[in-house]
Amino acid sequence: MTADSNRSPSPVFQAGAIPFRRNTNGEIEVLLVTNSSGGLWIFPKGHIDSGRSHIDQAALEAYEEAGIVGTVLDPPIGTFQYAKNSRDYEVEVYLMFVRETLDRWPERANRRRVWVSLDRAAEMHSREDAQEVFELGLRHIRSWHRLRSPRSQMSQYAS
């Protein structure tokens, strides 16, 4: 029997959020957290609780793992799959605009968090199976930033 035949027939669904904000200098930053073992820099994600939507779960995971509150943007930017402990997982990933960073949150004793530039986030993110969707998320954030930048050409038409 192969290792693949020991896996569950349907994946476990999860939701995740790539959190971002505009700092006091107007620059866009991305929040990364360490995984539960502390060795990898990742974005928050987790199992979808019964009766909870993917969007609500992404917001909850961001709060529990990173201590942030904000708006999860719909639609999702993509998905990624991975296998762990003979189970297959499928993660739906959203962008999250962060309004508040809390000093206290449920998993603060088990995780570190860091706000970094878009370029630094691309260098630090260490989850290979999620790299493609993470890079897509960063491209979306860059586009969002250009459209909403105070120096953009569109701002001259705002009343």
Side-chain angles (χ1 to χ4, degrees), residues 3-147:
D4 285 341
S5 64
N6 291 330
R7 291 206 173 119
S8 60
S10 61
V12 175
F13 292 102
Q14 296 185 318
I18 301 173
F20 69 102
R21 70 177 181 187
R22 190 182 302 272
N23 68 18
T24 56
N25 296 325
E27 299 162 342
I28 294 294
E29 296 178 315
V30 173
L31 182 78
L32 295 174
V33 297
T34 53
N35 64 344
S36 56
S37 64
L40 299 175
W41 287 103
I42 61 171
F43 54 85
K45 67 159 189 60
H47 294 87
I48 298 173
D49 296 334
S50 179
R52 191 179 300 275
S53 73
H54 286 70
I55 290 173
D56 289 345
Q57 192 66 47
L60 179 63
E61 295 301 328
Y63 163 71
E64 289 178 348
E65 294 182 7
I68 53 176
V69 178
T71 303
V72 176
L73 307 177
D74 198 14
I77 59 162
T79 62
F80 73 95
Q81 294 80 35
Y82 70 99
K84 181 179 176 183
N85 300 328
S86 299
R87 302 283 317 252
D88 292 323
Y89 295 86
E90 183 170 316
V91 185
E92 193 166 73
V93 180
Y94 296 84
L95 296 180
M96 179 181 185
F97 183 74
V98 177
R99 294 187 316 270
E100 186 177 5
T101 303
L102 306 172
D103 293 329
R104 297 174 57 96
W105 69 96
E107 296 184 24
R108 70 185 176 281
N110 303 323
R111 296 183 189 266
R112 292 178 292 143
R113 67 180 180 192
V114 62
W115 285 104
V116 294
S117 70
L118 290 165
D119 290 339
R120 185 71 179 125
E123 294 170 4
M124 288 178 65
H125 182 261
S126 5
R127 189 167 182 129
E128 286 187 33
D129 49 15
Q131 194 63 32
E132 187 175 320
V133 74
F134 186 72
E135 290 173 2
L136 177 62
L138 296 181
R139 287 194 301 274
H140 279 276
I141 293 167
R142 279 189 177 91
S143 296
W144 178 90
H145 175 61
R146 280 194 298 272
L147 289 174

